[in-house]
Amino acid sequence: EKKGLASSAQDLSPSYDWFQTDSLITIVIYTKQKDMNADLVIVDCQDKQLRGEIIMDDHSYLVEIDLDHAVSEDVAVNIAERVGKVEIILKKKDNVHWKNLGRPSEGHNTFIKRTDRGLFYRKCKLVSKTEVTHDTKLFCLMLPKGTHLRVPTGQHVYLKHIIAGTEVVKPYTPVLPFLPLDFQEDGVHIYLMIKIYSHGLFTQALDHLQIGDYISVSNPEGNFKKSQVQTSEDLLLLAGGTGFTPMVKLLNFALTEVSCLRTAKLIFFNKTEDDILWRNQLEQLALKDERFEVQFILSQPSKDWVGKQGKISPSLLSEFVKRSRRDSKVLICICGPAPFTEQGVQYLKDLGYSQEEIHAFTA
Ligand code: FAD
Ligand code: NAD
């Protein structure tokens, strides 16, 4: 009986093979999973080190090899989505015959829980830094040539930097370079919208990076699933400050790819008018796409603010969080300072929204 169990676990586990031509090395991974896609494949090849990770639900399959010979920086990744086959194609530096693929590392050919797989970091180059508001900047990082990595909607990455001799790690949520929709990501650049705090440990160090400097970026993480929004008719986004960042890709995805979507509404909480991120772009979007609406709510407005004011409260939520129809399928996403998110979730539940209708972005 034990033997039967072991072999069925083995049947589920991906496997790999490799072959070569005069100029190429192809590593083929058979995931045995039908709905493979580019978001689930992370490849890093640098010098002679090859690392390929395949994400399969809460598991991770790893190919990690110290290659026998040098390869060029260009790495191609082909995914046969329907049969679940992933090919990693490397270019030989010298057209010699390889006797073997190389020396496997300890984690090579393992299929384990994602949480048991340590985060992998690669160094990315800072290519631009542009002002968004008085204290928030858009950082554009470039992945190395040998890296294939997409950050899925709703997920974040970790940045790692050595500050005063100590490794410091903080999470950030990639956005798009701008809002006008139907933006196709190039797979090379990662955009991060980051608020610089005057006494912030990490953001001060980030702010001091020069164009051309390098910073380590991890594999993506997070428990948001695209399928949650794929069937939504009403999408409600509650954001506080930089809690806006996960909403960017989410909005882009919903407005471009969710055909049943009827309304998308962003309720954006900030301290002052000057703190509102991408205000102009959001207002333009609302004009262009009649499904989208934005509401700004300020907690410390100046005297001239004629819009809504206050902090998240049951009365503000009951005023702005509504279904477009009585039986609409709704998804409410919330992100911001921890007390904002916690209170918001509680108020939404008090208003009768169920656990399944609410997604909170947290640490
Ligand atoms: P810290 O040194 O930690 O301090 C930040 C500021 O808060 C300072 O002014 C400090 O004086 C003050 N402070 C520190 N601790 C407290 C406290 N307990 N009470 C009151 N004040 C305090 N941020 C973004 O800008 N963009 C993002 O896309 C983004 N994504 C995130 C995704 C996730 C999943 C999470 C959990 C956080 C995200 N953050 C994001 C926040 C980010 O990770 C950092 O927390 C932030 O950049 C501050 O880091 P820091 O080291 O500069 O600040
Ligand atoms: P901020 O201090 O400028 O506050 C923005 C608004 O949030 C305020 O105007 C207020 O309406 C509300 N708010 C703030 N503190 C509150 C409180 N104690 N109770 C109720 N409402 C409150 O915000 P910021 O400096 O931009 O910070 C954004 C926060 O979002 C950070 O804590 C960051 O870690 C978090 N964040 C989390 C994620 C995530 O978990 N995925 C992603 C991005 C940002």
Side-chain angles (χ1 to χ4, degrees):
E1 215 180 63
K2 253 192 175 163
K3 210 175 158 194
L5 267 180
S7 76
S8 70
Q10 219 166 41
D11 290 344
L12 288 173
S13 167
S15 63
Y16 83 103
D17 201 355
W18 71 284
F19 57 87
Q20 61 185 308
T21 64
D22 284 348
S23 59
L24 302 175
I25 293 285
T26 300
I27 295 145
V28 190
I29 299 162
Y30 304 97
T31 66
K32 303 174 191 173
Q33 180 172 302
K34 276 189 205 117
D35 44 358
M36 237 327 106
N37 69 63
D39 284 1
L40 306 174
V41 180
I42 305 163
V43 177
D44 289 273
C45 187
Q46 224 142 47
D47 303 321
K48 286 166 72 184
Q49 297 296 319
L50 173 73
R51 186 183 187 280
E53 183 173 351
I54 316 275
I55 308 298
M56 297 169 68
D57 294 323
D58 59 345
H59 275 66
S60 142
Y61 178 72
L62 189 70
V63 164
E64 193 173 38
I65 297 161
D66 182 6
L67 298 168
D68 207 34
H69 296 269
V71 293
S72 88
E73 281 178 297
D74 303 286
V75 176
V77 176
N78 285 339
I79 301 160
E81 306 204 350
R82 295 190 40 214
V83 291
K85 188 174 81 173
V86 176
E87 285 180 345
I88 303 171
I89 303 160
L90 311 172
K91 282 193 190 133
K92 291 180 180 175
K93 264 207 176 135
D94 305 301
N95 291 358
V96 293
H97 183 83
W98 291 24
K99 286 206 185 67
N100 58 54
L101 188 55
R103 200 172 49 82
S105 79
E106 204 179 305
H108 175 63
N109 200 22
T110 55
F111 186 53
I112 59 172
K113 278 251 165 71
R114 273 182 88 171
T115 45
D116 293 335
R117 182 90 69 205
L119 275 180
F120 183 79
Y121 289 86
R122 75 282 298 146
K123 288 213 159 103
C124 294
K125 196 197 249 183
L126 177 64
V127 294
S128 68
K129 197 163 55 162
T130 47
E131 222 163 79
V132 177
T133 64
H134 63 102
D135 63 0
T136 301
K137 290 178 183 170
L138 188 67
F139 290 78
C140 176
L141 303 175
M142 190 166 75
L143 291 166
K145 247 188 160 182
T147 296
H148 173 281
L149 182 158
R150 306 269 162 105
V151 183
T153 298
Q155 296 199 12
H156 52 266
V157 293
Y158 294 87
L159 297 187
K160 183 169 79 178
H161 199 60
I162 295 173
I163 301 170
T166 308
E167 229 174 51
V168 183
V169 169
K170 298 265 165 142
Y172 295 94
T173 314
V175 295
L176 302 172
F178 44 81
L179 259 186
L181 295 172
D182 218 358
F183 181 80
Q184 293 291 322
E185 291 183 83
D186 63 7
V188 177
H189 295 100
I190 293 182
Y191 295 89
L192 299 170
M193 195 188 269
I194 298 177
K195 181 179 282 195
I196 312 296
Y197 295 95
S198 54
H199 301 289
L201 176 65
F202 201 74
T203 52
Q204 279 300 319
L206 271 181
D207 198 30
H208 284 90
L209 288 182
Q210 303 292 314
I211 304 302
D213 284 351
Y214 285 83
I215 184 146
S216 295
V217 178
S218 80
N219 287 1
E221 242 186 25
N223 56 10
F224 182 80
K225 295 213 169 55
K226 255 185 181 175
S227 57
Q228 291 173 268
V229 71
Q230 238 141 8
T231 54
S232 297
E233 294 166 324
D234 295 331
L235 180 65
L236 288 145
L237 307 172
L238 307 180
T242 58
F244 171 59
T245 54
M247 309 309 179
V248 173
K249 281 200 194 190
L250 200 53
L251 200 52
N252 186 54
F253 175 72
L255 291 174
T256 55
E257 286 179 54
V258 179
S259 54
C260 56
L261 188 85
R262 276 199 302 268
T263 69
K265 186 175 193 170
L266 171 69
I267 304 153
F268 198 176
F269 295 81
N270 285 282
K271 291 193 289 229
T272 71
E273 251 181 298
D274 293 342
D275 294 323
I276 302 175
L277 305 166
W278 281 358
R279 177 177 183 179
N280 192 23
Q281 294 198 50
L282 288 164
E283 287 173 339
Q284 291 303 317
L285 181 61
L287 290 176
K288 257 198 332 221
D289 192 319
E290 59 179 21
R291 295 169 299 173
F292 177 66
E293 190 188 321
V294 60
Q295 180 72 50
F296 300 113
I297 303 179
L298 301 183
S299 59
Q300 296 164 29
S302 69
K303 285 195 296 292
D304 343 307
W305 177 250
V306 293
K308 275 278 158 193
Q309 51 179 290
K311 280 197 174 179
I312 197 161
S313 68
S315 66
L316 273 177
L317 292 187
S318 62
E319 184 179 347
F320 292 111
V321 179
K322 284 194 186 105
R323 294 172 201 268
S324 65
R325 294 179 193 170
R326 214 166 55 90
D327 58 350
S328 277
K329 198 163 177 314
V330 57
L331 178 68
I332 310 175
C333 296
I334 180 162
C335 187
F340 168 88
T341 305
E342 283 157 25
Q343 289 165 33
V345 168
Q346 189 53 52
Y347 299 153
L348 290 167
K349 285 183 177 164
D350 294 345
L351 285 171
Y353 292 96
S354 69
Q355 191 86 54
E356 294 71 46
E357 292 175 319
I358 305 170
H359 180 85
F361 290 94
T362 52

